[in-house]
Amino acid sequence: MSDPLTLLLGERVLRPPPQDGPSAAEEATGQGSPWLDTASLADPGRLVGLYFSAQWCPPCRAFTARLTELYRTLRAQDQEHDRVHRLEVVLVSSDAEVRGWDEQRRSMPWGALPFEHRQRKFSLCRKFKVTTIPTLILLDSCNAHVLTKNGVAMVTEDPHGLEFPWAPKTFAQTIAGPLIRPLGEMTDYGVLGDAHIGLYFSANWCPPCKAFTPLLCETYRRVREAGKKFEIIFVSSDRSEESFQQYFGEMPWLAVPYADTQRRESLGKLYSIQGIPSLILLDPGGHLITSTGRVALLDDRLGLRFPWEPAALSQLSPTNAELLNQEPALVLFVDSNEDEELGPVRQMLQPIAEKIVAESKANGEEQPLHFFYAGEDDMADSIRDFTSLPDCAPLLAILDVPARAKFVKDAEELSPSVVQEFLQDYLQGRLEAEPI
């Protein structure tokens, strides 16, 4: 059975190009081969960084210089102490032309995913939800578990690797410290007790935030009046203390003090916040329930389904359709809104979706995609038009709007086995993407 890294990257990756060509000794021992067995990267105590980058990207070129300096510094330290190299890096290029890819990899002291393995590259982007470059994802080399998706920030903040390997902090470690109430009273984070926690990333200058905050206030009140333990912590992105105080005055919950910039930034990095407003839901133990709390709340303004554990399968609605702009989703379109048509669809998809969600949770990973079914309505028509889907039903599609890619199943009849085969082909990177 293949090791986890090999399952991710394939049997072999390219070695870094030699500066002066292989020596006679390397040729005699086979070390002059351009290929490196992926399994050889696995070693206790070693991290493997998947570096998503491109030659045409100026921020990537700037970060490559920083990463190269760190990589060489760590190598020198490891050699000096005669220990295993603690960091290996593999380039996963977004270059569309082989010339740019080759130019980029020749400037780097680490290996690369072969240019022709484009489908595997797309699979890695989907698996780790990479939507921007540069991105550096650090994995445990032995089990391929994600240690951090914020490698770019880690390298930028610690360019000499003084705190490497940057063990990720827990929520409890990150939130530790004083919190502030709306009237200025300071309290300790221990006040959270055994409540479910919402981290609200927002700012006074952000119109969507200003529109969402009153809705959140109302739902927060309803949930607490129903006797449920729920605390919210405002994590501000405001540009001044005055703006923070004005905005926080509209809220009935706690906040990280504005002056505590480091803790505010650390919380954003811990949950990979890329836009606001964003509502993260945690259980009383500080474990993530959902990173899409805003969508969940808009779909349940009364808070009846609090704490909004993600449903394995949902009917596509104007509210939850927002998730299509954020993450990949499997959608089964039918040509009716009648329950006699939708009922069998739910029965077919439910166990498939639940299995994928359960497997992801057991592996400590985020689920790779959402699962929806859609009836015949204006919203479904708009999604079909936007993604240029065929005008037929039933129609099974996987839509990856952030990556501008779609995968469509052309089948006269849909059955559980057809859906499962299509899904596994997608997850294993065997499907050819069509552009959106």
Side-chain angles (χ1 to χ4, degrees):
M1 184 177 177
S2 296
D3 66 277
L5 273 182
T6 299
L7 289 174
L8 274 180
L9 301 175
E11 297 287 340
R12 301 185 303 175
V13 295
L14 284 164
R15 293 179 185 271
Q19 297 298 311
D20 302 309
S23 67
E26 288 174 329
E27 288 181 337
T29 60
Q31 294 179 2
S33 167
W35 296 103
L36 180 68
D37 289 339
T38 305
S40 68
L41 298 177
D43 209 309
R46 173 180 291 165
L47 304 189
V48 171
L50 302 184
Y51 182 32
F52 296 81
S53 179
Q55 177 64 17
W56 49 261
C57 166
C60 296
R61 292 198 292 271
F63 179 72
T64 295
R66 296 192 195 102
L67 182 57
T68 298
E69 182 178 353
L70 172 69
Y71 181 84
R72 288 175 172 155
T73 297
L74 293 176
R75 279 281 170 130
Q77 293 173 355
D78 296 338
Q79 289 173 354
E80 180 181 351
H81 293 89
D82 192 27
R83 63 192 177 200
V84 64
H85 295 311
R86 292 171 291 165
L87 177 65
E88 287 291 350
V89 178
V90 177
L91 170 66
V92 184
S93 176
S94 293
D95 280 297
E97 297 181 359
V98 69
R99 175 182 289 184
W101 167 82
D102 191 54
E103 182 180 345
Q104 184 185 31
R105 80 178 189 93
R106 288 184 180 280
S107 69
M108 299 174 173
W110 47 74
L113 194 71
F115 179 78
E116 59 271 18
H117 291 186
R118 310 308 293 160
Q119 201 59 42
R120 189 175 295 277
K121 178 260 181 182
F122 290 132
S123 297
L124 290 169
C125 287
R126 289 197 298 270
K127 179 176 179 61
F128 297 112
K129 299 179 181 177
V130 175
T131 57
T132 60
I133 55 175
T135 290
L136 178 65
I137 294 178
L138 295 175
L139 311 174
D140 184 307
S141 68
C142 293
N143 55 29
H145 287 172
V146 176
L147 300 179
T148 180
K149 293 184 177 181
N150 293 314
V152 170
M154 299 297 188
V155 174
T156 302
E157 294 173 4
D158 183 21
H160 303 296
L162 300 179
E163 298 183 18
F164 185 84
W166 306 310
K169 292 183 178 181
T170 64
F171 167 71
Q173 291 171 324
T174 308
I175 197 63
L179 298 172
I180 187 171
R181 297 187 186 277
L183 295 179
E185 177 189 355
M186 301 299 290
T187 186
D188 188 78
Y189 75 100
V191 73
L192 299 174
D194 59 352
H196 283 82
I197 301 159
L199 294 177
Y200 183 38
F201 296 85
S202 184
N204 200 19
W205 52 261
C206 165
C209 299
K210 296 285 285 184
F212 180 68
T213 296
L215 305 180
L216 180 58
C217 287
E218 179 61 21
T219 303
Y220 173 75
R221 180 186 64 78
R222 289 178 180 274
V223 168
R224 289 169 63 93
E225 287 179 351
K228 299 173 183 177
K229 296 181 179 179
F230 184 29
E231 293 288 351
I232 293 179
I233 302 171
F234 171 41
V235 186
S236 173
S237 294
D238 284 301
R239 295 163 179 162
S240 69
E241 174 84 33
E242 181 181 6
S243 182
F244 163 77
Q245 293 292 353
Q246 179 185 351
Y247 191 30
F248 185 42
E250 304 172 10
M251 303 175 185
W253 43 70
L254 304 166
V256 176
Y258 184 78
D260 198 342
T261 303
Q262 182 174 354
R263 189 154 48 131
R264 290 189 289 116
E265 291 179 350
S266 295
L267 286 166
K269 290 169 186 171
L270 183 62
Y271 297 103
S272 301
I273 301 301
Q274 297 182 349
I276 55 175
S278 182
L279 180 64
I280 304 291
L281 265 295
L282 308 175
D283 69 15
H287 304 110
L288 181 68
I289 295 176
T290 179
S291 58
T292 57
R294 175 172 171 265
V295 174
L297 183 145
L298 291 174
D299 214 26
D300 178 30
R301 295 269 298 276
L302 299 179
L304 301 178
R305 297 193 296 274
F306 177 84
W308 303 306
E309 292 276 355
L313 173 69
S314 302
Q315 183 170 0
L316 203 58
S317 70
T319 302
N320 62 33
E322 183 177 326
L323 292 174
L324 297 181
N325 291 320
Q326 302 174 21
E327 298 176 338
L330 180 147
V331 185
L332 177 52
F333 294 89
V334 296
D335 58 0
S336 172
N337 287 323
E338 300 298 326
D339 197 60
E340 56 264 26
E341 292 283 345
L342 298 179
V345 168
R346 287 193 296 267
Q347 293 174 9
M348 178 174 64
L349 289 182
Q350 189 73 38
I352 297 172
E354 289 177 350
K355 181 171 182 283
I356 294 296
V357 171
E359 288 176 349
S360 301
K361 188 173 293 187
N363 293 330
E365 300 175 345
E366 295 182 59
Q367 65 188 68
L369 73 174
H370 298 280
F371 291 84
F372 295 107
Y373 60 95
E376 186 178 28
D377 53 37
D378 291 342
M379 185 197 60
D381 290 343
S382 296
I383 292 172
R384 284 176 178 264
D385 291 342
F386 174 72
T387 56
S388 300
L389 290 174
D391 186 18
C392 61
L395 176 68
L396 185 64
I398 292 174
L399 305 177
D400 189 349
V401 175
R404 308 291 292 183
K406 65 183 178 185
F407 308 83
V408 182
K409 181 62 178 178
D410 184 12
E412 293 184 2
E413 293 186 9
L414 291 176
S415 65
S417 61
V418 170
V419 176
Q420 289 173 337
E421 181 181 4
F422 178 58
L423 180 59
Q424 288 304 314
D425 283 346
Y426 166 79
L427 294 175
Q428 297 299 322
R430 294 192 290 262
L431 298 180
E432 194 71 34
E434 300 177 44
I436 293 179

